[in-house]
Amino acid sequence: MPEYQLELAERHLRRIFTRAVGKSIPKILTELITNADDSYRRIADAAFQVGREPEIEDPAPITIVFTRNKKHFSVIDHAEGLTDKEMEDRFVMYGQESVDRARGYRTRSLFGKGLRDVLFTQRVGQVKSIKNGLFYNCQFRWKEVSGNQKPFVNIKAPCRVTPELRTALGIPGNGTRVEFQLAEGVHNPQTDKLIEHLNNFYMLRMINSDPHREVVLKVLDSRGQLAFDQQLNYRFPEIDIKDRFEDDLQIDAGNPIRIKGEIGLAEKELTQGEVGYVERQGGLLVLDEDNAVLDLCLFDFDQDPAARRISGTLNLIGAGAYIRSKLNQADPEEILTETRDGFDKNHPFFRLLRTQIHAHLEPIVKILRDYPEPKSKLSEQTKERHQKALEILNKIADELLGISGKAPVIPGHLKTPPPEGIAFVTSHISIQTGVSTPTALLINTILVHPNDLILVESDCPEITVTPRVINIEKEDRSSGLHIKILRVKSDIADIHGKILATWKEKKVELEVTTTAREIITPVNGLEFERDEYVTKIHSKRNLRLYVDVEKVLVGSEIKVIADSPAIHIDDHKVMVQTSQLITPQVAQIDIPVIGTELTKGTLVNASHQQYVAGTSVSVVKKEKQLQGMQGLFKNYEFRPLELKVQSWYDTEGVILINTKDPVNQRYFGTEPYKTLTENAHCQVRLADLILNECLQVMASIALNEGKLERRFPNNPETDIRSYVDNMKFEIGLQIHIWIVDKVS
C-alpha cells in the first residue's frame, strides 16, 4: 500500500500564522520588540557570567521606524546580530522551543514561532543583520510549488559591510533590522493612536518602564523625512497597597510555583475587563520568573464594577518553565493562548491560579462594594412589590435554564481541529437522570465547508440530544476549530446508548451511560464537584472528586495536597477502587478534610501523572445560612458606575442601576429611592431597566449553554435581541404592574 506525506493546504498554513497576531499592530510589533529585548538580555547575561560589564548602550535602543504612506515598519536593535547559521536555527523549524531557551538563555519566547507569525502574515518580510563585520539577509515569502503556495525562508550568502550599508540600516556595530509591510486588511494606524496603544499594551509594559531600554517610535512622511519621534513610556498606576503576599501554587509537576503578589487600589477607577488588552489600564499584571508578561486580568472579578480601582502584579516563579514543559511534552498543552490573549481560561492551571488569587481579591472587592447608605429608602410594601417582579424573572430563568449539568472544561491541548473533520471531546459521558448535560463536538472548519450539515442522533429512544442538525454555514471559521455544545438528557437510570454525529461519510460516536446519582465526567481525567467548599472550623467535610477511569485507571494512586496546614487531609494518597464506580467509566472519591484553623480559599490539589484538578476550601466559624431572595436575580441597587452603561448585572446577582448615566440622572436625580416613590415615570424607567438587564443576562446564559437555538451563529447579538424582544412582549406588563403603582 503506498504511503503519502501529509500536505497542509495554503489556507490552513496562513490561518496558523495569522492566529497568533491577527491584524493587531501592537501584537505584531510586540513580537519584534521582545526579540530585540531578549538579545540585549543575552549579551548582559553572558557578560555577568564572566564578571564583566556588558558592552551595550545604556539605555539600549530599540527603534521602530514607520513610513505611514507605504504601511512599512522596521524594528532596529544594536544587540547581538545574527549569522546565516543562526538564522537557519531560529527561522526554519516552526513551532520548536526557542533555540536560545533550549541553550539555557532567558528569553520571552514560548511558542518558538513569533517572528514567523509576523513576517508570513505581512508582506515583504525581511530580517537584515550585521554581525562581526558581515551582512546577513533573510527573506520570508510565499512561493508556488506544484500549484500550491508554500512558505519559504530564503537566507542569502553573507557579504562585507560598508559604511553606507550601516547608515542605511541604522546599525553602527552588531544588530538586527526586521522589516515588513502591513498586509491588505490590516488598518494603517494613526500616529497618535499607535503611540497610545504601544505605550499601554500589556505585553510591553515591563520593557516600556525599564530604565535600561529606550524604545522609540519614528514616523516618516511621504518624502522620507522625520515627522514624529517619541520614546515609548509606561508608568504603573500609583496604588495604595492592600495585600502583599507570597503563596505556593501546587501543580502536577511536583515543585510548587511561588506566587509573589502585590494588590492595591488606584485613586481613580481604571478600565478593566470591559475593554481589550490594548486599552486596559487596571488589573493584575501576571509575570513569570523572567519577567515575561503572561496575562493582565482580575480573574473572577474581571468585569465587576466594584473592582475597577484594583491594580497590581503577580510574579509566578517557575511558571515559565512549567508552561514550556507542557508545550514540549509528547501530548502538548497550551496554558497560554496562541493568540497572545493571556491564559487559556479553561486550562486547569488557570483554574487553580484563579481559585488561589480569589482569596486575596475577594476581601478587597467586598470593601469596595460597601457604598454609603442612601439618604432615602423604599417602604417595605414597595420592596415586596419589587421582589414580586424579580420572582417572576427568576421563575422564567429557571424554566429557560432548567437543571443543567456543569459545562465541560476543555483543556487547551484538546482544542485542536480534528484531522478527520469532527470528533467528540471525549469518548464517553455519564449523565444524571433529569439533568441536561452538556458535551462538546469539535469541528474542523477547514474541512467542514459552508453548507455542510452535521446530523446528530441518539441510538436509544430514552436518551435525547439537542441540537439534531448543525449547519456550519455561518459558524466562526477563522481559527480552524469550532466547538459545538450538545446537550444530552434522559429520565431513565442505568441505561446505555450512543450519540452519533455524521458528516458526509464520517461518523463519530459518544457512549452514554445514565445514573440516578449526581455525576460529572471529567474531560481532563479528574474534576472536583465544586470549585470551592466552605466548612466549619474543626468539622469534617468531604470533597467530592470524579475520576475518568479510562484515563486514571482503577488501582491508580491520586495525590491530594493542601497548600496550607489549616486544611488537614487524613490520607494524602487515595486509591481508585472498583467500589467507587458510579458507572463503568466514572468513579467518585470522597476526600475527607478538617479545617484546623480559619482560612480563606486554601487550595486543595488532586493529581495523577498529567491529570490534575483543584478546588478551594474556606474554614469559617459558622456557615452562613442563605437569606433573602434566591435565584439568578436577587435585588437591584442604585450605584455610581464609571462604566458607560445604564445598568449592569454584577457577580452577586444584583442589578446595578448606574446613577452616573445621564438619562438615569435625569430620571432619578441625587435621591433615587425618594424620586422613585413619588414619580410614575421614574418607576417606568426602573421597570424597563430591570426587565431589559435580566432578559439580556438569561438569554446570554441560555445561548452559551445551548438552551436557545442559534439561528444566527455568527451574530449571537441578533439571537439575544430577538429573545429579549419576544419576552418583553410576553411578560413586560407583569413586571410593570409590580414596579409601577402610579399609573393614572
Side-chain angles (χ1 to χ4, degrees):
M1 181 179 292
E3 186 178 53
Y4 300 96
Q5 182 178 349
L6 180 66
E7 294 284 339
L8 295 178
E10 174 195 349
R11 63 178 182 173
H12 182 56
L13 285 169
R14 289 188 184 272
R15 276 199 193 98
I16 291 173
F17 293 136
T18 304
R19 187 183 306 161
V21 295
K23 298 179 180 180
S24 168
I25 293 173
K27 288 182 181 179
I28 290 169
L29 292 175
T30 291
E31 293 296 335
L32 309 183
I33 293 169
T34 53
N35 283 349
D37 181 68
D38 284 340
S39 187
Y40 284 124
R41 285 155 61 100
R42 287 191 293 270
I43 293 174
D45 286 349
F48 292 145
Q49 285 176 10
V50 296
R52 60 178 175 81
E53 288 294 316
E55 296 180 3
I56 55 177
E57 302 164 66
D58 191 10
I62 301 172
T63 306
I64 308 164
V65 180
F66 176 37
T67 308
R68 192 171 185 279
N69 68 313
K70 296 180 180 179
K71 299 178 68 173
H72 187 274
F73 279 95
S74 299
V75 177
I76 309 160
D77 67 59
H78 299 164
E80 300 164 296
L82 293 167
T83 66
D84 48 358
K85 180 64 170 66
E86 289 167 334
M87 288 178 174
E88 181 183 350
D89 289 343
R90 286 164 173 78
F91 303 153
V92 172
M93 180 63 74
Y94 180 78
Q96 70 177 1
E97 183 177 15
S98 160
V99 171
D100 299 307
R101 175 64 75 173
R103 291 171 180 167
Y105 290 110
R106 296 162 61 230
T107 76
R108 288 176 169 82
S109 176
L110 288 171
F111 294 101
K113 49 194 181 181
L115 182 136
R116 281 148 296 183
D117 287 335
V118 171
L119 298 187
F120 278 127
T121 55
Q122 307 308 308
R123 295 188 293 182
V124 201
Q126 290 191 74
V127 176
K128 301 175 179 179
S129 198
I130 295 176
K131 190 162 187 176
N132 301 329
L134 292 177
F135 171 65
Y136 301 90
N137 189 10
C138 178
Q139 297 178 340
F140 296 75
R141 61 194 181 97
W142 292 84
K143 178 181 176 182
E144 186 171 314
V145 177
S146 302
N148 294 314
Q149 292 287 321
K150 303 285 186 182
F152 276 82
V153 177
N154 181 15
I155 302 173
K156 296 186 177 181
C159 64
R160 294 232 170 247
V161 179
T162 64
E164 294 78 14
L165 181 59
R166 287 191 181 278
T167 301
L169 294 178
I171 303 174
N174 290 344
T176 301
R177 181 182 183 115
V178 182
E179 299 180 350
F180 64 91
Q181 186 178 19
L182 294 177
E184 291 183 17
V186 179
H187 176 68
N188 198 15
Q190 296 292 335
T191 300
D192 57 343
K193 282 296 181 185
L194 179 59
I195 192 77
E196 177 187 334
H197 290 167
L198 291 177
N199 276 334
N200 190 61
F201 189 50
Y202 83 109
M203 294 185 75
L204 290 176
R205 289 185 181 181
M206 298 304 292
I207 297 175
N208 289 343
S209 61
D210 187 347
H212 301 293
R213 296 291 181 268
E214 186 179 69
V215 186
V216 176
L217 173 65
K218 297 177 182 284
V219 180
L220 307 183
D221 62 21
S222 57
R223 297 169 299 168
Q225 301 298 310
L226 185 64
F228 181 87
D229 183 348
Q230 185 173 317
Q231 181 178 345
L232 300 190
N233 181 54
Y234 179 77
R235 293 182 63 185
F236 286 90
E238 292 186 11
I239 56 175
D240 179 16
I241 302 298
K242 297 298 180 183
D243 190 5
R244 187 179 279 116
F245 60 92
E246 293 193 20
D247 288 342
D248 282 337
L249 181 67
Q250 298 291 340
I251 54 173
D252 56 311
N255 294 328
I257 289 173
R258 189 68 175 163
I259 304 175
K260 295 183 178 181
E262 191 174 87
I263 304 174
L265 296 179
E267 184 177 348
K268 297 181 179 180
E269 293 195 350
L270 308 168
T271 55
Q272 300 283 5
E274 75 277 2
V275 297
Y277 282 102
V278 174
E279 299 89 1
R280 184 169 187 163
Q281 300 167 331
L284 302 181
L285 193 68
V286 187
L287 311 166
D288 73 2
E289 61 271 23
D290 293 320
N291 272 349
V293 179
L294 306 178
D295 207 338
L296 176 67
C297 65
L298 282 177
F299 301 92
D300 290 325
F301 304 97
D302 227 24
Q303 296 195 37
D304 193 313
R308 291 176 61 80
R309 290 171 54 203
I310 295 179
S311 183
T313 56
L314 295 177
N315 279 88
L316 308 185
I317 313 302
Y322 178 68
I323 291 168
R324 286 187 297 277
S325 72
K326 288 295 185 181
L327 280 171
N328 290 330
Q329 65 188 19
D331 188 10
E333 292 183 35
E334 292 175 3
I335 295 175
L336 296 176
T337 61
E338 280 197 78
T339 56
R340 284 34 170 196
D341 291 322
F343 290 113
D344 177 347
K345 302 305 187 283
N346 287 323
H347 195 279
F349 177 85
F350 178 80
R351 296 175 69 206
L352 289 173
L353 180 63
R354 180 187 65 197
T355 300
Q356 191 133 337
I357 302 305
H358 184 98
H360 296 279
L361 284 172
E362 186 182 39
I364 299 173
V365 176
K366 279 189 174 181
I367 293 172
L368 293 171
R369 282 204 184 102
D370 288 339
Y371 287 85
E373 284 289 320
K375 296 178 182 178
S376 55
K377 296 183 179 180
L378 297 175
S379 68
E380 290 302 317
Q381 184 181 7
T382 301
K383 288 181 182 178
E384 288 177 10
R385 290 178 61 86
H386 293 182
Q387 288 293 335
K388 290 287 186 183
L390 292 176
E391 286 175 9
I392 293 170
L393 290 163
N394 279 321
K395 182 180 178 182
I396 292 167
D398 289 342
E399 291 172 353
L400 174 64
L401 302 177
I403 303 174
S404 180
K406 197 175 180 182
V409 178
I410 306 173
H413 70 280
L414 294 180
K415 292 181 179 179
T416 56
E420 296 185 344
I422 59 174
F424 285 104
V425 74
T426 186
S427 62
H428 63 89
I429 186 172
S430 297
I431 67 173
Q432 183 185 3
T433 52
V435 176
S436 177
T437 305
T439 190
L441 180 70
L442 308 180
I443 302 171
N444 186 330
T445 57
I446 296 166
L447 301 176
V448 180
H449 297 146
N451 300 319
D452 285 358
L453 294 181
I454 300 172
L455 304 180
V456 184
E457 60 181 339
S458 169
D459 71 350
C460 175
E462 289 79 20
I463 298 174
T464 62
V465 59
T466 57
R468 301 288 299 276
V469 178
I470 301 170
N471 187 341
I472 205 69
E473 179 182 2
K474 295 180 180 178
E475 301 288 6
D476 181 8
R477 306 175 59 81
S478 60
S479 67
L481 174 68
H482 178 72
I483 300 174
K484 183 66 177 180
I485 296 297
L486 308 177
R487 305 198 75 85
V488 185
K489 186 177 181 182
S490 178
D491 293 323
I492 302 175
D494 303 320
I495 61 173
H496 304 273
K498 291 180 181 178
I499 302 300
L500 310 172
T502 306
W503 165 68
K504 294 184 176 179
E505 302 301 317
K506 178 62 181 176
K507 183 174 290 189
V508 294
E509 298 180 349
L510 174 70
E511 294 184 17
V512 181
T513 303
T514 70
T515 176
R517 297 172 61 182
E518 292 184 12
I519 195 167
I520 293 172
T521 304
V523 175
N524 199 40
L526 300 172
E527 188 168 345
F528 281 102
E529 177 190 28
R530 302 182 186 178
D531 290 333
E532 54 185 319
Y533 292 84
V534 177
T535 185
K536 288 171 58 178
I537 191 165
H538 304 310
S539 295
K540 182 176 285 190
R541 180 70 185 262
N542 283 331
L543 311 185
R544 183 162 293 176
L545 179 70
Y546 291 100
V547 182
D548 183 341
V549 296
E550 291 190 0
K551 296 181 173 73
V552 181
L553 304 180
V554 172
S556 298
E557 189 176 81
I558 298 173
K559 291 195 297 183
V560 185
I561 300 172
D563 69 353
S564 166
I567 304 298
H568 172 74
I569 300 172
D570 285 334
D571 192 351
H572 288 281
K573 295 179 180 179
V574 296
M575 193 80 71
V576 183
Q577 302 176 20
T578 305
S579 60
Q580 296 164 336
L581 292 173
I582 302 176
T583 68
Q585 298 87 8
V586 178
Q588 173 192 309
I589 301 177
D590 288 334
I591 302 169
V593 300
I594 298 175
T596 59
E597 57 186 90
L598 299 179
T599 184
K600 182 69 176 176
T602 291
L603 190 69
V604 175
N605 185 44
S607 63
H608 172 76
Q609 296 178 358
Q610 73 267 37
Y611 304 111
V612 61
T615 187
S616 71
V617 181
S618 297
V619 181
V620 296
K621 290 182 180 178
K622 183 178 180 181
E623 291 189 65
K624 293 181 179 179
Q625 299 298 316
L626 294 174
Q627 297 177 345
M629 173 67 74
Q630 301 303 309
L632 199 58
F633 311 112
K634 297 184 171 51
N635 206 346
Y636 72 89
E637 292 179 11
F638 289 94
R639 295 268 188 90
L641 306 176
E642 293 298 329
L643 293 169
K644 293 184 178 180
V645 296
Q646 295 182 332
S647 59
W648 186 268
Y649 177 77
D650 84 350
T651 54
E652 301 289 304
V654 178
I655 299 102
L656 304 179
I657 309 301
N658 187 6
T659 56
K660 286 194 173 183
D661 169 67
V663 178
N664 289 345
Q665 275 186 339
R666 182 168 185 182
Y667 275 87
F668 301 117
T670 57
E671 292 191 45
Y673 293 107
K674 180 181 178 182
T675 308
L676 189 64
T677 302
E678 297 173 351
N679 298 283
H681 65 280
C682 296
Q683 297 172 7
V684 172
R685 173 69 177 166
L686 178 65
D688 283 338
L689 288 169
I690 290 176
L691 181 62
N692 190 67
E693 190 67 36
C694 292
L695 291 176
Q696 287 274 351
V697 168
M698 66 176 79
S700 299
I701 295 172
L703 202 65
N704 287 334
E705 293 185 353
K707 302 289 182 67
L708 283 181
E709 180 187 358
R710 285 182 179 265
R711 290 175 293 174
F712 302 93
N714 225 23
N715 189 7
E717 294 84 2
T718 302
D719 281 316
I720 292 172
R721 186 169 60 248
S722 175
Y723 174 80
V724 170
D725 288 343
N726 288 335
M727 289 307 297
K728 279 182 179 179
F729 186 85
E730 293 290 332
I731 66 161
L733 178 60
Q734 299 177 55
I735 303 304
H736 275 252
I737 284 173
W738 286 112
I739 294 179
V740 183
D741 64 359
K742 289 188 175 294
V743 176
S744 55

